């Protein structure tokens, strides 16, 4: 009996680890260079931190890659390009549970805004658990964490132009 429980947990951990290895974040839509990136390659990019209070009021420090860095790698409009029609562009952030949130590119760009938004893979130094991870958006400074999407799978740049 004990042996079969051990075997079951062992198989579960193999499935969990291989699912983590297979995972790729997609960055696509109205960008010059769409791409997919693994967790290992995300971890090699410059790392930043952001703090977020959870529902119980506890403060947690998350670490990961700045959202603007991920968009820059896709050659999405940034800096001086954020004018005219690019002011109508927004980022749709999709999650595995179909939760979706948007940010205007102007809101994300550091030349217009000091808002700190990261795509985190760690909370308080530890990898995010399956419920929140492998990647969670952390939007610092908002009164409620409603746009801090967990289980993020895709970043899609779109235009709101009619
Ligand atoms: N993928 C996903 N992310 C989500 C949600 C969700 O339902 N799905 N809920 C949001 C809302 S409304 C809140 S208040 C916070 C809760 O995060 P916490 O459990 O870390 O406090 O997650 C946000 N991120
Ligand atoms: Mo919420």
């Amino acid at each position: 009996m004990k042996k079969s429980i051990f075997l079951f947990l062992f198989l579960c951990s193999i499935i969990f680890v291989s699912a983590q290895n297979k995972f790729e974040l997609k960055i696509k839509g109205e960008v010059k260079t769409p791409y997919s990136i693994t967790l290992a390659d995300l971890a090699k990019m410059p790392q930043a931190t952001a703090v977020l209070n959870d529902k119980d009021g506890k403060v947690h420090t998350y670490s990961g890659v700045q959202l603007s860095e991920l968009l820059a790698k896709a050659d999405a409009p940034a800096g001086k390009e954020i004018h005219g029609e690019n002011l109508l562009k927004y980022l749709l952030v999709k999650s595995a549970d179909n939760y979706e949130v948007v940010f205007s590119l102007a809101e994300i760009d550091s030349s217009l805004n000091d808002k700190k938004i990261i795509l985190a893979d760690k909370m308080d130094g530890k990898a995010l658990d399956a419920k929140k991870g492998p990647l969670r958006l952390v939007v610092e400074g908002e009164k409620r964490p409603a746009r801090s999407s967990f289980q993020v799978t895709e970043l899609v740049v779109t235009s709101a132009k009619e």
Side-chain angles (χ1 to χ4, degrees):
M1 187 61 191
K2 251 191 191 159
K3 251 187 195 165
S4 58
I5 291 172
F6 177 77
L7 189 67
F8 175 73
L9 291 175
F10 179 68
L11 288 174
C12 283
S13 62
I14 288 181
I15 291 165
F16 181 70
V17 169
S18 56
Q20 291 264 37
N21 288 342
K22 239 183 25 213
F23 177 88
E24 286 194 357
L25 172 79
K26 286 196 185 79
I27 292 98
K28 59 186 205 179
E30 293 187 25
V31 295
K32 283 192 204 109
T33 323
Y35 66 98
S36 293
I37 188 165
T38 62
L39 295 174
D41 286 336
L42 276 172
K44 288 179 199 145
M45 290 179 69
Q47 302 290 300
T49 61
V51 294
L52 190 69
N53 292 22
D54 67 14
K55 279 186 256 158
D56 310 319
K58 276 202 203 116
V59 183
H60 295 286
T61 303
Y62 289 81
S63 61
V65 180
Q66 228 147 24
L67 189 55
S68 54
E69 290 256 3
L70 291 168
L71 291 179
K73 208 172 143 67
D75 295 310
K80 293 235 165 75
E81 291 163 359
I82 305 282
H83 64 89
E85 291 201 354
N86 284 338
L87 286 168
L88 293 175
K89 293 204 174 129
Y90 64 93
L91 182 73
L92 172 64
V93 179
K94 294 188 173 193
S95 291
D97 62 349
N98 296 322
Y99 193 72
E100 294 180 326
V101 299
V102 300
F103 296 85
S104 66
L105 291 194
E107 191 178 6
I108 299 166
D109 196 83
S110 64
S111 73
L112 279 98
N113 224 303
D114 275 332
K115 203 178 195 66
K116 207 175 192 185
I117 310 176
I118 68 166
L119 191 65
D121 63 346
K122 289 196 178 94
M123 182 183 84
D124 302 327
K126 289 190 209 103
L128 293 169
D129 61 23
K131 204 174 143 246
K132 296 277 165 72
L135 298 172
R136 178 182 195 169
L137 205 65
V138 177
V139 190
E140 209 177 71
E142 296 200 328
K143 289 188 179 171
R144 284 193 294 115
R147 293 202 292 177
S148 289
S149 301
F150 35 80
Q151 298 183 342
V152 173
T153 55
E154 278 183 28
L155 305 176
V156 190
V157 176
T158 309
S159 176
K161 189 169 167 55
E162 292 189 317

